[in-house]
Amino acid sequence: MRRQDLEAMDFEELWLLHEELTKILAEKITAEKRELEKRLAQLNQPDQLGGAEGGATETGQPPRRKYPKVVPKYFNPLKPTETWSGRGKQPRWLVAALQSGHTLEEFRIRENGEASNRNAGGHDH
């Protein structure tokens, strides 16, 4: 449609054309958005062939990133099952021990699985 044709139309014809164009554009935008969302959903499913986190997408949440297991570096001598990796907030038992004068190195887990000083807390006698 040429500009001259549009200028020759009266207000009612132009308004009807405007409404029709708006409706057609809305439908096309909705269809395009649906197609883009479909493509995005395909890109966000890395292991579709039986990944353990297939249920995560059903809840609307993206699947969690897989982080490597962090090996604990420090242990509580009073309760050896309580460990800390050295990441994040320090556990209460470690904060209390550090405030009472102990050093972080006293709680370190050695490479061979033995701590440097099993009696680091001084309470195992």
Side-chain angles (χ1 to χ4, degrees):
M1 193 172 257
R2 295 189 325 224
R3 185 174 179 92
Q4 291 174 349
D5 295 336
L6 292 174
E7 289 176 356
M9 296 173 87
D10 68 354
F11 179 80
E12 280 296 316
E13 291 175 310
L14 283 172
W15 189 255
L16 289 172
L17 183 62
H18 164 74
E19 288 179 340
E20 194 174 331
L21 284 172
T22 303
K23 188 177 100 179
I24 292 169
L25 278 173
E27 290 171 358
K28 289 192 180 237
I29 288 171
T30 302
E32 181 74 17
K33 182 181 173 192
R34 212 176 290 128
E35 188 63 36
L36 288 172
E37 286 172 345
K38 204 183 299 181
R39 286 174 53 194
L40 185 62
Q42 289 174 346
L43 291 174
N44 283 337
Q45 296 176 353
D47 291 330
Q48 187 66 17
L49 303 173
E53 289 149 352
T57 55
E58 292 173 11
T59 61
Q61 301 257 333
R64 288 184 54 124
R65 269 180 62 190
K66 294 179 182 172
Y67 291 98
K69 180 79 173 151
V70 180
V71 179
K73 293 181 183 173
Y74 305 97
F75 79 105
N76 182 355
L78 302 177
K79 265 190 167 177
T81 56
E82 291 182 349
T83 58
W84 181 55
S85 66
R87 293 184 180 182
K89 189 175 178 182
Q90 292 179 337
R92 289 186 186 126
W93 59 263
L94 183 60
V95 171
L98 293 175
Q99 286 176 349
S100 68
H102 294 284
T103 64
L104 188 61
E105 191 59 34
E106 293 176 43
F107 302 99
R108 181 174 290 278
I109 297 173
R110 294 289 161 222
E111 291 296 319
N112 61 5
E114 289 298 313
S116 62
N117 183 356
R118 284 305 240 175
N119 297 327
H123 301 290
D124 290 337
H125 296 311

